[in-house]
Amino acid sequence: MKLTILFSIFLFATGITRAQHQMHMGNSNDSTKKDSTEVNHSSHMMGQMDTEVPMSHAYSLNLPMQRNGSGTSWLPDAAPMYGTMFHSKKWMYMMHGSVALRYTRQDLAEKGSRGGEKFDAPNWFMFMGQRKVGEKGLFHFSSMLSIDRLTEGGAGYPLLFQTGESWKGQPLVDRQHPHDLFSELSVAYTYSFSKKSDLTLYVGYPGEPALGSVAFMHRPSTLSNPDAPISHHWNDGTHITFGVATIGYRYDKVKIEASSFTGREPDENRFDFDQPRFDSYSARLSYNPTKNWALQISQGWIKSPESLHETENVNRTIASAIYALPLGKEKNLNATLLWGLNKTKGHDGENAVLAEAAYRLNKLAVYSRYEWVQKSAEELNLNPNIFGNGSFGVNAFSLGINYDILNLGKFRTALGGQLSFYNTNAALNSPYGKNPVSGQVFIRIYPRLMGM
């Protein structure tokens, strides 16, 4: 029943988008009201008349839209962009989203006791808009919503070796937590000093601080994968933060940012707005040397992220490289490599490494993800008297495929499947089994590739 409701909502949203698009196309005498997916964005950069639509990056009049990541992070300029656009005389709007109606089963052979299975539908939806303010100013707003709480339940979906957040006062282990209904509500203003120089102020409640790479659901290398990485809380676990303020300065290919934000992760009520605290800080240096690469290194000082461990603060360090290579119409290769380190007082640092890639060939998408993550017995909710106080290295490799089978207006429907293979210390064979394997099949609905 929940999946039927979700599918209906998505089709309804598609209908709204098409109706709005047709409304703006109705007046053939207004040359500014064209379908933005058919317009070359380069003709709408700074210097055009105020009556034209700002088709630039969300936080710069002088950068291409393709560099938009999550929050204020950067993607490569050559990255593919999926979504649908419409605009009025001075505003440009964009919608994006994804939903995977699926059946997932962890530990197919039932080698251990930690697996689970579920019919569910991980999802997220974005709506954003922007307009020029004078000749050198740019105003932007972003909203991101998810009804995970309805489709996944309070405990989220089963995912071996995943950790982070809680449900009914117990830690969520071997499960991915649901995302909040309001995952981002943010506004930003950017002032352009010159074509090479911008200053941006960003405020979100919730929002995303300048910490880590582009969040997993927005990286082209993982768009087709319905699962969150098990290294999620080593890199982009702060992508939903109830209270964040960021200042960023860009000069040419380099941007430096600093954020003050709430360290506590979202609480168990996924429909409310948590208390803003502004008790944590981060800094990030981003560098795009060419149109194909986006590099970043960042450091965060996070106060009491987990409600079940209020006295534990985390120092988080992240470095990442994102690569994008267009190979022709509907053909592209995208990859991400990142490293994250979580350090708490009195504990050894725990590392995570992720490498993922996706190859798109017309209707076919093939993707993979490899992770190595150090997770402690406490993190995995294991008895320290039996498993000790050290960390276990977890290897996870996923291989998946999507194939487009149907177009729904500006949205596509793909049929997909995925297998995940795990390997860890033999000491964990009793709860997890030796080399467990997980699988899933799904129908994914997502926006079409925009012609830039």
Side-chain angles (χ1 to χ4, degrees):
M1 180 64 180
K2 290 179 179 178
L3 297 186
T4 302
I5 294 172
L6 178 61
F7 190 74
S8 300
I9 291 172
F10 207 87
L11 290 179
F12 180 67
T14 305
I16 292 176
T17 304
R18 295 181 67 183
Q20 289 171 318
H21 170 67
Q22 292 168 357
M23 176 183 69
H24 289 292
M25 290 290 287
N27 186 353
S28 59
N29 294 324
D30 187 347
S31 61
T32 67
K33 295 181 179 179
K34 296 178 180 178
D35 184 351
S36 300
T37 60
E38 305 299 331
V39 178
N40 186 335
H41 76 280
S42 63
S43 66
H44 291 277
M45 300 301 286
M46 192 179 75
Q48 300 295 315
M49 295 173 60
D50 285 347
T51 57
E52 293 189 335
V53 179
M55 300 291 290
S56 66
H57 184 271
Y59 307 108
S60 174
L61 288 167
N62 303 291
L63 294 175
M65 290 185 65
Q66 294 95 314
R67 197 178 293 197
N68 287 335
S70 60
T72 58
S73 61
W74 279 356
L75 284 170
D77 294 352
M81 178 171 285
Y82 294 85
T84 180
M85 276 194 238
F86 54 96
H87 58 268
S88 61
K89 189 174 182 180
K90 293 188 177 182
W91 284 85
M92 184 276 289
Y93 305 97
M94 179 177 174
M95 293 182 67
H96 188 19
S98 179
V99 56
L101 295 88
R102 69 172 182 175
Y103 169 72
T104 180
R105 182 170 179 177
Q106 303 294 296
D107 189 10
L108 290 171
E110 298 183 351
K111 293 182 176 182
S113 59
R114 291 283 185 114
E117 60 181 331
K118 193 177 185 69
F119 286 97
D120 67 347
N123 62 87
W124 56 272
F125 311 94
M126 289 196 73
F127 177 70
M128 62 193 77
Q130 63 190 63
R131 61 161 293 167
K132 289 182 67 175
V133 180
E135 286 298 317
K136 295 187 176 183
L138 176 65
F139 174 80
H140 179 89
F141 72 84
S142 288
S143 62
M144 180 170 173
L145 292 86
S146 172
I147 54 172
D148 273 356
R149 179 61 180 82
L150 300 179
T151 63
E152 313 303 318
Y157 59 81
L159 182 61
L160 285 181
F161 297 102
Q162 182 65 295
T163 56
E165 303 194 18
S166 64
W167 174 241
K168 295 185 177 180
Q170 298 298 315
L172 284 173
V173 180
D174 302 309
R175 302 191 73 86
Q176 166 61 35
H177 63 77
H179 289 104
D180 281 52
L181 173 63
F182 297 103
S183 300
E184 182 178 16
L185 295 173
S186 67
V187 295
Y189 175 79
T190 301
Y191 185 81
S192 174
F193 298 102
S194 69
K195 289 186 176 181
K196 289 187 175 182
S197 178
D198 302 310
L199 180 68
T200 298
L201 300 175
Y202 167 98
V203 179
Y205 182 61
E208 180 178 330
L211 178 60
S213 78
V214 176
F216 71 90
M217 66 279 291
H218 300 290
R219 296 195 299 263
S221 54
T222 196
L223 284 175
S224 299
N225 190 337
D227 284 339
I230 61 172
S231 58
H232 178 40
H233 289 265
W234 274 250
N235 172 50
D236 45 9
T238 54
H239 74 109
I240 303 176
T241 300
F242 281 92
V244 55
T246 298
I247 183 170
Y249 176 73
R250 176 190 71 93
Y251 183 77
D252 200 12
K253 300 178 180 180
V254 178
K255 179 172 65 169
I256 186 168
E257 301 171 277
S259 296
S260 174
F261 62 97
T262 300
R264 179 65 53 85
E265 293 173 348
D267 62 23
E268 297 180 6
N269 186 343
R270 301 296 172 176
F271 299 111
D272 68 351
F273 288 85
D274 300 354
Q275 176 186 349
R277 303 169 188 263
F278 293 97
D279 52 10
S280 304
Y281 309 92
S282 67
R284 178 168 62 196
L285 178 66
S286 301
Y287 176 49
N288 281 26
T290 71
K291 68 179 183 179
N292 302 104
W293 288 96
L295 314 176
Q296 73 81 35
I297 185 168
S298 52
Q299 176 71 45
W301 297 267
I302 310 171
K303 182 176 177 60
S304 186
E306 294 281 353
S307 60
L308 300 182
H309 302 278
E310 293 187 350
T311 61
E312 288 188 0
N313 304 323
V314 175
N315 286 342
R316 181 170 296 162
T317 307
I318 307 156
S320 66
I322 299 178
Y323 178 73
L325 179 64
L327 299 170
K329 185 177 180 181
E330 295 285 354
K331 299 178 184 178
N332 53 70
L333 174 67
N334 296 277
T336 299
L337 177 65
L338 68 84
W339 163 77
L341 171 67
N342 282 337
K343 185 71 173 67
T344 59
K345 187 176 181 180
H347 296 79
D348 293 334
E350 295 176 350
N351 293 270
V353 175
L354 176 147
E356 61 189 18
Y359 174 66
R360 177 90 190 194
L361 179 61
N362 299 320
K363 295 183 178 182
L364 177 69
V366 180
Y367 63 91
S368 64
R369 177 190 289 158
Y370 169 74
E371 296 179 87
W372 175 77
V373 187
Q374 290 180 306
K375 301 222 172 187
S376 66
E378 179 186 36
E379 184 107 16
L380 294 171
N381 201 28
L382 298 170
N383 188 337
N385 295 324
I386 299 175
F387 294 93
N389 294 310
S391 295
F392 301 95
V394 179
N395 295 276
F397 175 74
S398 296
L399 182 64
I401 186 170
N402 280 202
Y403 188 81
D404 291 347
I405 58 174
L406 179 66
N407 289 335
L408 298 171
K410 293 180 178 294
F411 290 82
R412 294 175 174 176
T413 303
L415 184 64
Q418 176 180 303
L419 288 174
S420 298
F421 306 86
Y422 301 91
N423 174 267
T424 187
N425 191 292
L428 297 185
N429 285 354
S430 55
Y432 287 98
K434 183 178 180 180
N435 302 329
V437 177
S438 301
Q440 59 183 286
V441 290
F442 53 87
I443 297 174
R444 179 171 169 256
I445 306 173
Y446 67 102
R448 72 180 185 184
L449 179 67
M450 292 168 50
M452 303 305 293

